[in-house]
């Protein structure tokens, strides 16, 4: 993932990093999230937001995107519980070339809940979603993205992403 040192969200704020003032969380997440139908959410259940590897990679590379701003806001304000899928964690951590960057990123990731997104039911549902999208002329390139989005739909979680493939879902 390059030679830039990894800076945590806390270090960005100490070093004068200024993010744009984001829209209110609920309105701005709509643009970047795969969301389940509202009727499927249990009353009083707090929504978990899975953060896709596309957002984490941009975050660790220091890119200034709207999705990274949302992630920074979620980390700063603890507005909602955030988590990462096990396979997305693999995607993020495998890209670090330097040990110190890997260690710093791993330290941040260890603070998150890790969700196992595979299993028989999710795999079958993901295959069905994939086939349905293909019949409409939409192809999702990454099987991990397909599993992750299906997991979010089936478990009533939001998915914060910066991946055009997932916009089709």
């Amino acid at each position: 993932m390059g030679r830039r040192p990894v800076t945590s969200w806390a270090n960005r704020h100490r070093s004068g990093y200024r993010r744009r003032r984001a829209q209110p969380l609920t309105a701005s997440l709509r643009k970047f999230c795969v969301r389940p139908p509202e009727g499927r959410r249990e009353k009083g259940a707090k929504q978990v937001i899975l953060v896709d590897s596309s957002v984490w990679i941009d975050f660790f590379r220091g890119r200034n995107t709207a999705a990274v701003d949302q992630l920074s806001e979620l980390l700063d304000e603890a507005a909602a519980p955030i988590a990462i899928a096990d396979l997305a964690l693999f995607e993020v951590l495998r890209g670090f070339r330097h040990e110190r960057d890997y260690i710093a990123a791993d330290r941040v990731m260890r603070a998150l809940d890790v969700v196992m997104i595979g299993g028989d039911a999710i795999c079958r549902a993901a295959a069905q979603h994939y086939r349905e999208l293909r019949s409409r002329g939409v192809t999702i390139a990454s099987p991990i993205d397909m599993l992750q989005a299906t997991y979010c739909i089936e478990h009533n979680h939001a998915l914060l992403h910066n991946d055009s493939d997932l916009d089709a879902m």
Side-chain angles (χ1 to χ4, degrees):
M1 282 203 185
R3 294 179 180 246
R4 286 187 198 168
V6 173
T7 57
S8 71
W9 57 274
N11 287 339
R12 288 182 189 180
H13 295 291
R14 275 185 242 133
S15 66
Y17 167 80
R18 296 270 187 223
R19 69 173 195 270
R20 294 173 290 192
R21 184 67 195 147
Q23 304 169 33
L25 188 61
T26 54
S28 57
L29 272 178
R30 241 179 258 125
K31 182 176 179 184
F32 302 103
C33 289
V34 172
R35 295 184 146 243
E38 287 300 319
R40 293 183 64 183
R41 186 172 323 289
E42 295 175 18
K43 286 187 177 180
K46 202 165 191 183
Q47 183 177 24
V48 174
I49 299 171
L50 256 65
V51 181
D52 182 48
S53 59
S54 60
V55 178
W56 284 111
I57 290 167
D58 287 347
F59 177 81
F60 287 121
R61 287 183 176 169
R63 292 185 178 145
N64 191 16
T65 68
V68 168
D69 288 345
Q70 288 302 312
L71 175 57
S72 295
E73 186 174 322
L74 288 168
L75 292 170
D76 287 344
E77 297 174 8
I82 62 172
I84 187 168
D86 55 347
L87 297 175
L89 177 64
F90 163 71
E91 283 184 313
V92 172
L93 292 178
R94 73 180 177 158
F96 290 98
R97 292 185 183 143
H98 302 288
E99 189 66 17
R100 72 176 188 279
D101 295 343
Y102 173 84
I103 291 169
D106 189 45
R107 191 174 302 125
V108 171
M109 299 308 224
R110 285 184 184 275
L112 303 173
D113 290 329
V114 177
V115 176
M116 307 304 167
I117 61 169
D120 183 56
I122 295 298
C123 288
R124 291 176 191 280
Q128 190 60 32
H129 286 144
Y130 181 84
R131 294 177 69 245
E132 193 175 301
L133 288 169
R134 281 293 300 244
S135 72
R136 295 186 207 158
V138 177
T139 302
I140 305 295
S142 169
I144 293 173
D145 287 346
M146 193 76 232
L147 286 167
Q148 188 171 240
T150 300
Y151 181 90
C152 287
I153 291 167
E154 297 293 318
H155 290 88
N156 300 320
H157 297 326
L159 177 59
L160 180 62
H161 67 89
N162 195 19
D163 190 333
S164 59
D165 274 356
L166 293 173
D167 289 335
M169 292 192 75

